[in-house]
């Protein structure tokens, strides 16, 4: 079974530029997560989708970050405009079930996209 | 508020030594899940274990073992006879068990483990 796919793996941009990341979850997984992992820290949840709806985006900086999962499958995360402090690894994860149906769903993580903002 | 503390930033040991990674957590929930994840240089987070708060039995899986002590809010991870392939960053994590909180995982800052040949 294929794992969670992410692209690109690496991206270098200058501050105030825009950038987009793509994630393709494991086939059939209803829930998709985007995490931000700053160097030396653990991952922090940015946004959680259940199918194509947003479950939790409380920690997403909405003035510059946006995410969508239009058809309930793959997802894009965009930063516009980027700041120096956005330099991090952006991890995508997916899990099989939906909140409320299964109280626990193991999350499967992709390899991440390493963003450097200069 | 939920919090996970991994006080050991980096640990370096010689191959075949035993090593313990410490994890202390804070939560007001009466039931919760605890996790350990491994992050090798490739970057993916690899799930190692999940423990429900009402199950305080220690667990052993091959060279890995976990010691859960609710009284001290600790969930420590021991690797016996360490190998070079164990070199990675290890994260301890916590989530609730409720309708929406079960999928909200709070990670510690990680412990970088280096195993020297």
């Amino acid at each position: 079974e294929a794992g969670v796919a992410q692209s690109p793996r690496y991206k270098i941009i200058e501050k105030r530029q825009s950038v987009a990341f793509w994630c393709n979850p494991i086939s059939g997984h209803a829930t998709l997560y985007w995490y931000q992992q700053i160097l030396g820290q653990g991952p922090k949840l940015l946004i959680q989708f259940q199918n194509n709806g947003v479950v939790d985006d409380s920690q997403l900086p909405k003035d510059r970050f946006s995410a969508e999962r239009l058809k309930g499958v793959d997802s894009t995360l965009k930063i516009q405009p980027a700041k120096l402090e956005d330099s991090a690894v952006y991890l995508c994860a997916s899990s099989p079930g939906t909140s409320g149906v299964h109280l626990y769903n193991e999350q499967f993580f992709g390899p991440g996209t390493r963003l450097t903002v200069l | 508020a939920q919090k996970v503390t991994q006080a050991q930033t980096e640990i370096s040991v010689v191959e075949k030594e035993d090593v313990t990674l410490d994890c202390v957590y804070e939560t007001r929930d009466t039931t919760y899940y605890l996790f350990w994840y491994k992050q090798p240089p490739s970057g993916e987070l690899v799930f190692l274990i999940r423990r429900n708060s009402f199950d305080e039995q220690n667990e052993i899986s091959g060279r890995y073992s976990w010691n859960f002590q609710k009284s001290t809010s600790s969930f420590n991870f021991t690797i016996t006879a360490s190998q070079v392939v164990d070199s990675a960053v290890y994260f301890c994590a916590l989530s609730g068990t409720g309708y929406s909180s079960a999928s909200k995982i709070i990670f510690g800052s990680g412990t970088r483990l280096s195993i020297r040949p």
Side-chain angles (χ1 to χ4, degrees):
Chain A
E1 180 181 270
V4 176
Q6 290 188 248
S7 68
R9 290 297 312 276
Y10 304 92
K11 189 74 177 178
I12 300 174
I13 62 172
E14 295 193 350
K15 60 183 179 183
R16 291 188 288 273
Q17 284 188 323
S18 301
V19 65
F21 313 127
W22 174 81
C23 171
N24 191 23
I26 293 173
S27 179
H29 278 195
T31 310
L32 185 147
Y33 313 80
W34 282 102
Y35 288 85
Q36 180 192 58
Q37 185 179 12
I38 293 172
L39 185 65
Q41 299 181 19
K44 182 185 82 172
L45 180 69
L46 292 176
I47 188 167
Q48 176 186 346
F49 291 96
Q50 179 177 305
N51 297 309
N52 60 350
V54 175
V55 174
D56 182 356
D57 63 357
S58 57
Q59 297 195 91
L60 187 74
K62 298 180 186 64
D63 57 334
R64 298 183 300 105
F65 285 65
S66 64
E68 59 184 16
R69 192 185 185 201
L70 291 176
K71 295 181 180 179
V73 181
D74 56 353
S75 174
T76 55
L77 175 69
K78 296 179 182 177
I79 308 175
Q80 181 179 5
K83 292 185 176 181
L84 296 177
E85 58 262 36
D86 298 332
S87 293
V89 175
Y90 291 84
L91 293 164
C92 180
S94 69
S95 63
T98 57
S99 297
V101 176
H102 302 284
L103 290 183
Y104 171 71
N105 283 276
E106 181 182 340
Q107 295 184 27
F108 297 83
F109 286 82
T113 296
R114 182 177 297 277
L115 173 67
T116 301
V117 182
L118 303 176
Chain B
Q2 295 183 318
K3 184 179 178 182
V4 177
T5 301
Q6 295 180 256
Q8 303 152 308
T9 306
E10 292 192 40
I11 299 175
S12 180
V13 301
V14 176
E15 198 172 20
K16 296 183 185 175
E17 285 187 12
D18 299 347
V19 58
T20 296
L21 308 182
D22 297 333
C23 173
V24 174
Y25 62 90
E26 296 175 31
T27 180
R28 291 180 182 173
D29 293 345
T30 53
T31 61
Y32 45 89
Y33 291 116
L34 293 164
F35 308 81
W36 276 95
Y37 285 85
K38 175 181 179 180
Q39 189 173 42
S42 59
E44 295 180 36
L45 277 167
V46 177
F47 170 84
L48 295 178
I49 189 172
R50 172 179 62 95
R51 172 66 54 179
N52 194 308
S53 55
F54 57 73
D55 181 3
E56 291 192 64
Q57 281 193 343
N58 292 325
E59 182 155 341
I60 298 174
S61 176
R63 297 183 297 107
Y64 295 171
S65 63
W66 291 270
N67 184 301
F68 176 31
Q69 293 204 343
K70 211 167 180 178
S71 60
T72 57
S73 298
S74 65
F75 186 44
N76 296 337
F77 173 31
T78 297
I79 302 175
T80 303
S82 60
Q83 299 176 2
V84 173
V85 293
D86 295 328
S87 297
V89 180
Y90 290 85
F91 291 95
C92 181
L94 168 72
S95 80
T97 59
Y99 180 88
S100 61
S101 63
S103 56
K104 214 167 189 176
I105 300 177
I106 308 299
F107 288 86
S109 56
T111 297
R112 180 176 299 277
L113 178 63
S114 298
I115 310 297
R116 307 189 305 274

